[in-house]
Amino acid sequence: MGTRHMSQTERAVTELKRKIMSNELAPGSNHLEGELAALLGLSRTPVREAMLMLEAHGLVEVRPRHGMRVLPISAADMEEIYQILTELESLAAYDLAARRPAIEELAPMRQAVDDMEVALGSDDRVAWAEADNHFHEALVDLAGNRRLKSIVSTYSDQAHRARMITLHMRPKPSKSNEDHRALLKAIEAGDAETARQIHRNHRLRAKGLMLDLLRKHGFFHV
Amino acid sequence: MGTRHMSQTERAVTELKRKIMSNELAPGSNHLEGELAALLGLSRTPVREAMLMLEAHGLVEVRPRHGMRVLPISAADMEEIYQILTELESLAAYDLAARRPAIEELAPMRQAVDDMEVALGSDDRVAWAEADNHFHEALVDLAGNRRLKSIVSTYSDQAHRARMITLHMRPKPSKSNEDHRALLKAIEAGDAETARQIHRNHRLRAKGLMLDLLRKHGFFHV
DNA sequence: GCGCTTGACAATGCATACATTAACCAATAC
DNA sequence: GTATTGGTTAATGTATGCATTGTCAAGCGC
């Protein structure tokens, strides 16, 4: 891996983000600049910069004298996030369909759907989730709005922990795969409005499902 | 003013942002850490942090050895931004209407519309633009999705310079005021879907108008 | 004249030093 | 027991120092 030319700040961001996403740094926990610097084997300066970046990405909150606090994600937070993702990804679906992409451009999306199909067959939820991520990522990628892509990526990261929790509680995600195939078809047909509707409904259903699970299982925060 | 308890970093962010928004720092211009530190009378550390924050807000790009570059905003950038604002503000309109706010909650929006009416009468474009900002700000504020509010605020800032340029080229914004009144009515009636449509159309029209002006007057960047 | 190499310079990335000040705790007053 | 005050401590905010390294340009070969 090309960690050779990474700045210390980047290293800190990457490493801290990994630790947060994997719950190695527990939601709600506090971490002082000095601690983290020692933990990562760096001086406070790059750690401090990394903390500010993570704060900008909504993963932590920096409170003077208390270090950074890993933000818990409540059901209410997830609702905010899913609403935003719903609107923006639906827009991406619309735009992508509207610009009538060449068939081969859609290869990543097709690949992702195929992978999801396989994962579904062997009930490998982790593989399925990964392919699902690829699908959504390819969608906003191909839509071509760089800012939209950046926002979606930020909030997908925030949602990551919650998705991992509900992954094993939800029913087999076969309906999702149908949605994805249908979306792909609408995009291929250049039917922008249909693409938007399909994806919007897909996201709305996913949102409802996730929130139900989070609330039912008493996760007021993650 | 409470600039007393502001950290130097905050001061730097505020001041640099002001300079960028007012074109005191020209789009496309480059500025080294050292220069800015001297300019603001600080050491490089808080300036450096401020640069990173402005980069996170999409106003500048930091390139090692070249300092920060004030990002020009092209018509293509404005299109991206307006698409995002359209979707998210329309969602805000929907949500606000759906939660049937108390009449007095909407006072800021009503006030903004009144102010716009007055400004329109005396053809005071700057005052009109300010009131328009208040209206949109109040809308996303009242909708209650904090993340949505934060995104909209970020991208509104990015659009600021372009809006200021087209402000005096556009026709008298009377249609805007009609839209705002209609939106307010739909929200009062709790008619979420109508509110969404009205605001979406409002934004789409504004987008088209602005892009036409930018392109017609040869502003490939601002 | 054009492109490549080389070397000096200077901007940066990071470490560290230091003053400030908020948080905590103990002791006191009520 | 609770609230208030004052002192101590340590985390931060900022400045500064220094090694690294990318940039730029002059000079060289072609």
Side-chain angles (χ1 to χ4, degrees):
Chain A
M1 268 272 283
T3 55
R4 180 69 59 117
H5 300 284
M6 255 191 179
S7 74
Q8 300 300 79
T9 301
E10 288 175 88
R11 224 187 291 277
V13 169
T14 308
E15 187 60 13
L16 290 177
K17 189 166 160 182
R18 191 189 60 70
K19 282 179 192 290
I20 290 168
M21 303 269 244
S22 68
N23 279 325
E24 208 170 314
L25 295 182
S29 61
N30 286 55
H31 307 276
L32 299 171
E33 289 181 5
E35 282 177 30
L36 294 176
L39 179 67
L40 301 175
L42 314 162
S43 80
R44 276 176 47 222
T45 308
V47 171
R48 196 179 154 80
E49 288 183 1
M51 284 167 59
L52 291 175
M53 289 173 151
L54 293 172
E55 183 171 49
H57 282 218
L59 290 174
V60 309
E61 171 192 24
V62 177
R63 293 180 311 165
R65 311 272 160 179
H66 294 274
M68 74 174 198
R69 177 179 136 87
V70 180
L71 287 175
I73 304 232
S74 66
D77 290 317
M78 284 305 299
E79 178 144 27
E80 286 198 9
I81 292 171
Y82 263 62
Q83 282 200 353
I84 291 166
L85 291 177
T86 298
E87 296 305 317
L88 296 186
E89 287 189 4
S90 300
L91 171 61
Y94 181 95
D95 283 352
L96 177 54
R99 79 171 173 82
R100 295 186 164 270
I103 321 239
E104 61 270 23
E105 277 193 274
L106 300 177
M109 292 180 73
R110 249 179 247 111
Q111 180 66 55
V113 176
D114 289 345
D115 291 348
M116 287 164 75
E117 208 86 39
V118 171
L120 200 59
S122 56
D123 202 26
D124 181 344
R125 305 248 166 161
V126 174
W128 179 85
E130 197 182 341
D132 186 57
N133 283 344
H134 286 155
F135 184 86
H136 287 256
E137 205 175 311
L139 171 64
V140 295
D141 212 4
L142 293 170
N145 185 322
R146 314 235 331 250
R147 288 171 174 83
L148 186 149
K149 185 184 169 186
S150 151
I151 301 171
V152 167
S153 156
T154 296
Y155 288 97
S156 295
D157 279 351
Q158 287 189 35
H160 180 266
R161 279 174 294 169
R163 277 203 312 272
M164 286 304 103
I165 286 183
T166 53
L167 184 58
H168 296 281
M169 310 186 319
R170 62 177 292 179
K172 227 180 176 191
S174 359
K175 176 64 176 149
S176 267
N177 278 27
E178 287 173 39
D179 289 345
H180 290 323
R181 288 231 179 271
L183 173 58
L184 209 40
K185 190 176 273 182
I187 292 172
E188 283 164 359
D191 189 346
E193 199 47 52
T194 301
R196 185 209 294 275
Q197 284 307 326
I198 290 174
H199 197 68
R200 159 179 282 272
N201 290 332
H202 169 66
R203 270 302 198 188
L204 286 176
R205 188 165 39 246
K207 173 182 123 182
L209 186 57
M210 148 152 295
L211 289 180
D212 277 356
L213 287 173
L214 286 180
R215 296 207 173 96
K216 191 190 302 179
H217 290 260
F219 287 105
F220 290 98
H221 61 80
V222 177
Chain B
M1 265 273 284
T3 56
R4 180 71 57 117
H5 300 285
M6 256 191 179
S7 74
Q8 301 299 78
T9 301
E10 288 174 89
R11 226 187 291 276
V13 169
T14 308
E15 187 60 13
L16 290 177
K17 190 166 160 182
R18 192 188 60 69
K19 282 179 194 289
I20 291 168
M21 303 270 244
S22 68
N23 280 326
E24 209 171 313
L25 295 181
S29 60
N30 286 73
H31 307 274
L32 299 171
E33 290 181 6
E35 283 177 31
L36 294 177
L39 179 67
L40 301 175
L42 313 164
S43 79
R44 277 175 44 223
T45 309
V47 170
R48 197 180 151 80
E49 288 184 1
M51 284 167 58
L52 291 175
M53 288 172 152
L54 292 172
E55 183 171 49
H57 282 233
L59 290 174
V60 309
E61 172 192 23
V62 177
R63 292 182 310 165
R65 313 271 160 177
H66 294 273
M68 74 174 198
R69 175 179 136 88
V70 180
L71 288 175
I73 304 233
S74 67
D77 290 317
M78 284 305 299
E79 177 144 27
E80 286 198 9
I81 293 171
Y82 263 61
Q83 282 200 354
I84 291 166
L85 291 178
T86 299
E87 295 305 318
L88 295 185
E89 286 189 4
S90 300
L91 171 61
Y94 181 96
D95 283 352
L96 178 53
R99 78 172 174 82
R100 295 187 163 268
I103 321 240
E104 61 269 22
E105 278 192 273
L106 300 177
M109 292 181 74
R110 250 180 245 110
Q111 180 66 55
V113 176
D114 289 346
D115 291 349
M116 287 165 76
E117 208 86 40
V118 171
L120 201 58
S122 55
D123 202 26
D124 181 346
R125 304 247 166 163
V126 175
W128 179 84
E130 198 183 338
D132 186 57
N133 283 344
H134 287 156
F135 184 86
H136 287 255
E137 205 175 312
L139 171 64
V140 295
D141 212 3
L142 292 170
N145 184 323
R146 314 234 335 247
R147 287 172 175 84
L148 186 150
K149 186 185 168 185
S150 151
I151 301 171
V152 167
S153 156
T154 296
Y155 288 97
S156 296
D157 279 352
Q158 287 189 34
H160 180 267
R161 277 173 296 169
R163 277 203 313 272
M164 286 303 103
I165 285 184
T166 52
L167 184 58
H168 297 281
M169 310 187 317
R170 62 177 293 179
K172 225 180 175 189
S174 359
K175 175 66 176 146
S176 267
N177 278 25
E178 287 174 38
D179 289 345
H180 290 323
R181 287 232 179 270
L183 173 58
L184 209 39
K185 191 176 272 183
I187 291 172
E188 282 164 359
D191 188 346
E193 199 48 51
T194 301
R196 185 209 296 274
Q197 285 306 326
I198 291 173
H199 196 69
R200 158 179 283 271
N201 290 332
H202 169 67
R203 271 301 197 189
L204 286 175
R205 188 164 43 244
K207 174 181 121 181
L209 185 57
M210 146 153 296
L211 290 180
D212 278 356
L213 287 174
L214 286 180
R215 295 208 174 95
K216 190 191 302 178
H217 291 259
F219 287 104
F220 290 100
H221 62 78
V222 177

